[in-house]
Amino acid sequence: MKVAFSLGSALMVLAGFANAHTYLSKLALDGVQESEGQCIRPYPADRNYPVKDVTSTDITCGVGGVSKTASETCPVKAGSTITVEWHHDNDSASDDVIDITHLGPCMVYMAPLESNGSGDVWFKIFEDGYDAATSTWCVNKIRNNGGKLDVALPADIKSGDYLVRTEIIALHESDTDYAVNPARGSQFYVNCAQVSVTNGGSAEPQGYAIPGIYKSTTPGVIFNLYSSYSSYPIPGPAVYVSGPGNDIGESPNESTDASAEDSTSAPVENTDSSVEETNYSSVEENTDTPVEETNYSSVEESTDSSVEETNYSSAEESTDSSVEETNYSSVEESTDSSVEETNYSSAEENTDAPTENTDAPQGSATESPTEYISTDASEAPTSSAPVVTYTTTITAAPGKCH
């Protein structure tokens, strides 16, 4: 603990005295090395100084970057690799690129040039933060590679002119919120180049506003480099990935125009068929169909059927059928049938069954008088079909019960 504290304290002291900033020095496009400053928007007087206020327009393309334009817009093919190159003071081989204390991530964004970087136009094409396996930051990598970083352009973006925004966040003072103490806070090294993309596709990636994607308290903007950590949350939106479904408003995991098949839908209007089904919720109008069913709550509009069913909640309008049922809550409109039933709560409109109520008054189900039969089994007529424990039988003319 003492060693870690001493090392952390030493780094903080070094960071306080360090004036080892950086800037985007040059680009290599399609393998062609451009000269320093070529295709890059003009630098301010202090070209290697950072931006710290994430709400300022300077965070877009650097100090004064949105009010200037590059002397030329350089051509590059969609899907090709560009090489961005940072330096501390100049592009000499001896330049240290950026101080070792200024550890942090690297990001690259693009936006249509005509927008001048204003509005929800920026999409991220590259990011690299902290590799816990090697304890290496992106800043370590570019320092070890002469300031160079290879970045692949999306292959499917539309052809046209774009801004390419490069960004390094130095975290040596990011343990403090800049809004609370402007003397400290994260340091953003931002520049914009101008390129003309050819051989592109049709994709228009979702855009985000800069300023807008960061707050001074956003994880990754505020970060204690001197504490114990095993990961780093790279701020900003996710990297755009080329491919179908990645246009505006869509994510890579979304699919459209898919054909959906609902396996839980109950069959409707099955006529003159033999049906063996399981786990339906309703059985209505079963006629003329021999049906053997188990654990259905409902089958609709099967006509003239002989139905042998178990554990139904409701069977409606079964006509001319012989019904052998167990544990029904309700049977409606069963006509001309021989019924053997056990434990029914209610049987409605059973006509021509082997009971004494065969001459029911005619009329609609809602208009006909109700005739009750005694529940006393000793008073029930003798029938070829045994009848056990009927609770109530309501006799009505044929018709649909609602």
Side-chain angles (χ1 to χ4, degrees), residues 297-319:
S297 298
S298 168
V299 173
E300 298 182 9
E301 298 185 15
S302 295
T303 308
D304 293 339
S305 59
S306 173
V307 182
E308 178 178 356
E309 299 173 325
T310 304
N311 292 322
Y312 288 78
S313 297
S314 170
E316 296 181 11
E317 298 184 17
S318 299
T319 307

Side-chain angles (χ1 to χ4, degrees), residues 258-265:
S259 174
E261 180 176 350
D262 186 356
S263 61
T264 62
S265 299

Side-chain angles (χ1 to χ4, degrees), residues 264-270 275 277 280 282 296 298-302:
T264 62
S265 299
V268 180
E269 300 184 4
N270 293 320
V275 182
E277 298 171 324
Y280 287 84
S282 172
Y296 288 80
S298 168
V299 173
E300 298 182 9
E301 298 185 15
S302 295

Side-chain angles (χ1 to χ4, degrees), residues 373-398:
I373 297 177
S374 172
T375 58
D376 188 345
S378 65
E379 296 179 9
T382 304
S383 171
S384 58
V387 179
V388 181
T389 315
Y390 285 83
T391 302
T392 304
T393 301
I394 301 172
T395 304

